[in-house]
Amino acid sequence: MIIVLKPDATKEQIQTIRTELSGRGLLCQEIRGGDACMLGLAGDLTGISADSLLRRAFVERVVSVSEPYRLAGRRFHPQDSVYEIAGQKIGGGAFVIMAGPCSVESEEQVLSIARDVKRSGANFLRGGAFKPRSSPYSFQGLGLDGLELLKIAREKTGLPLISEIMSQEYAEVFGADVDIIQIGARNMQNFPLLRAVGRLGKPVLLKRGPSCTLDELLAAADYILMEGKSPVLLCERGIRTFETATRNTLDLSAVPVLKKKSHLPVIVDPSHGTGYWDLVYPMALAAVAAGADGLMIEVHNQPEKALCDGQQSITPVLFDRLARKLRQLREIIHEDGSGKNEW
Ligand code: PEP
Ligand code: MN
């Protein structure tokens, strides 16, 4: 923590605050440059609040240089986390594709898509049963019936499931029924929900909130991790910016930045990230090049009739082409066979 003092702070005031902070066991170093005077604080800062420091008239600003997360950070966990989820390795150079419809609409629909994406090499079937729609008049998902249809698809294809939970009241159902629990972008900072899924011990895919920073994403991951049981996958799915040509702005620099800050696997969702089916293909390839550990892609057998997100869903034929290209690209990028980007 750095305390920036006002230019008119007196020697006595500086000495008083230094004595007080040193008395609390902190290292308190005075830094001077021209007229500016700052105090650099190191040590256990729990209990030292910026608010209480700012109450002193001679303090101009307090700058926090510590991170708002711990468990998700590399400082406490330098090695990449590698998970084995439903027989699939995630992280540490392995690569997974989660594919399927935005929302489960019928048994025929979800089965047909599941079979197609499985044939093309998808590792997980995605499908929304509870849908977080911006308008209350839009299709809200089939709810528990949708989960049952996903389970039928898992049984018939062998594909493990990922589906979004929207409310704590279904925590136990999701804990029992799906292989990865998705926390949607809109719920990234629903802290009671994060704690509840963290207690289940089931893997969680945490999507970045459209207006959230990467540090906020990692702090949200800590809410899940601090319950001590659930593996966490981070997901970049586009953020809200001034650009209107795309639904969201897919922040691909988030991938290497998250890799630097965190040991958790990073998944990219180019479907919600762009909002347009024809942008999914190039951005999926770009995500792999950026070092993503996996992709989440919306696939629909009849996108023009989809009840949700048809404009950003690709057909099974295009998904097959994309999956092939992704494999080729990975071979080029990971020439040394380690599965790791080389930089
Ligand atoms: C989804 O995956 O269908 C979804 C609603 O995603 P997001 O939370 O990223 O909008
Ligand atoms: Mn969707």
Side-chain angles (χ1 to χ4, degrees):
M1 186 179 273
I2 294 168
I3 306 171
V4 182
L5 303 176
K6 289 188 180 159
D8 59 1
T10 65
K11 272 194 183 132
E12 290 70 33
Q13 286 169 324
I14 296 172
Q15 196 46 53
T16 308
I17 192 168
R18 285 192 66 181
T19 309
E20 189 192 319
L21 292 166
S22 307
R24 294 174 74 165
L26 296 168
L27 184 68
C28 183
Q29 190 115 33
E30 194 172 315
I31 308 156
R32 278 197 177 271
D35 279 349
C37 179
M38 292 179 267
L39 299 175
L41 285 190
D44 181 3
L45 294 166
T46 31
I48 309 283
S49 79
D51 286 348
S52 68
L53 295 167
L54 284 166
R55 291 186 75 86
R56 292 156 220 243
F58 58 95
V59 171
E60 181 153 315
R61 241 171 337 121
V62 176
V63 183
S64 174
V65 288
S66 63
E67 293 150 339
Y69 54 88
R70 292 183 190 173
L71 301 172
R74 279 218 188 261
R75 193 179 302 186
F76 297 94
H77 192 304
Q79 299 301 321
D80 281 351
S81 277
V82 183
Y83 301 129
E84 168 113 6
I85 301 174
Q88 308 282 346
K89 193 174 152 201
I90 303 190
F95 186 76
V96 290
I97 306 181
M98 305 165 180
C102 177
S103 51
V104 179
E105 298 167 11
S106 68
E107 183 170 337
E108 302 72 56
Q109 175 242 20
V110 75
L111 254 182
S112 159
I113 297 169
R115 287 193 170 118
D116 284 340
V117 297
K118 161 112 192 205
R119 206 175 307 119
S120 301
N123 310 90
F124 287 84
L125 174 65
R126 66 143 286 146
F130 295 86
K131 292 305 306 174
R133 304 304 302 275
S134 300
S135 164
Y137 307 107
S138 303
F139 175 60
Q140 303 287 306
L142 298 181
L144 291 176
D145 293 341
L147 273 189
E148 289 306 313
L149 298 181
L150 282 170
K151 281 158 70 182
I152 293 173
R154 174 172 59 193
E155 200 178 302
K156 300 218 166 159
T157 61
L159 278 178
L161 303 176
I162 170 162
S163 194
E164 175 171 355
I165 189 169
M166 280 176 54
S167 151
Q168 271 158 272
E169 75 184 283
Y170 294 114
E172 272 185 37
V173 179
F174 273 75
D177 285 357
V178 307
D179 300 282
I180 303 179
I181 301 174
Q182 175 172 325
I183 297 283
R186 294 158 184 81
N187 270 319
M188 189 201 90
Q189 290 185 310
N190 181 340
F191 303 119
L193 183 61
L194 299 180
R195 286 183 187 275
V197 295
R199 286 193 289 271
L200 294 171
K202 268 277 153 95
V204 178
L205 178 125
L206 178 64
K207 289 189 137 190
R208 178 183 184 182
S211 305
C212 291
T213 65
L214 296 176
D215 277 5
E216 286 164 341
L217 172 63
L218 293 170
D222 263 27
Y223 271 93
I224 301 169
L225 292 167
M226 71 198 300
E227 295 298 326
K229 286 189 174 173
S230 302
V232 175
L233 315 173
L234 305 169
C235 180
E236 163 59 37
R237 47 76 73 203
I239 50 175
R240 194 163 268 205
T241 68
F242 54 81
E243 183 55 72
T244 53
T246 45
R247 179 180 179 182
N248 291 294
T249 298
L250 186 62
D251 177 12
L252 281 183
S253 62
V255 179
V257 173
L258 285 172
K259 292 267 160 205
K260 205 154 47 168
K261 286 172 173 272
S262 172
H263 54 93
L264 300 172
V266 180
I267 308 296
V268 171
D269 171 352
S271 307
H272 294 88
T274 62
Y276 294 98
W277 69 269
D278 57 329
L279 301 182
V280 170
Y281 190 98
M283 295 316 281
L285 295 177
V288 170
D293 297 290
L295 291 168
M296 169 174 273
I297 294 178
E298 287 189 337
V299 179
H300 201 289
N301 52 348
Q302 291 180 292
E304 64 292 346
K305 292 193 180 152
L307 296 181
C308 183
D309 286 350
Q311 78 290 352
Q312 67 191 32
S313 300
I314 60 173
T315 59
V317 171
L318 188 53
F319 177 73
D320 188 65
R321 213 176 298 157
L322 172 59
R324 239 176 260 257
K325 198 51 118 189
L326 289 169
R327 283 192 286 271
Q328 289 170 0
L329 179 60
R330 276 183 54 79
E331 269 173 37
I332 296 168
I333 292 175
H334 309 303
E335 316 178 293
D336 65 350
S338 67
K340 291 236 173 213
N341 281 342
E342 281 150 32
W343 56 83

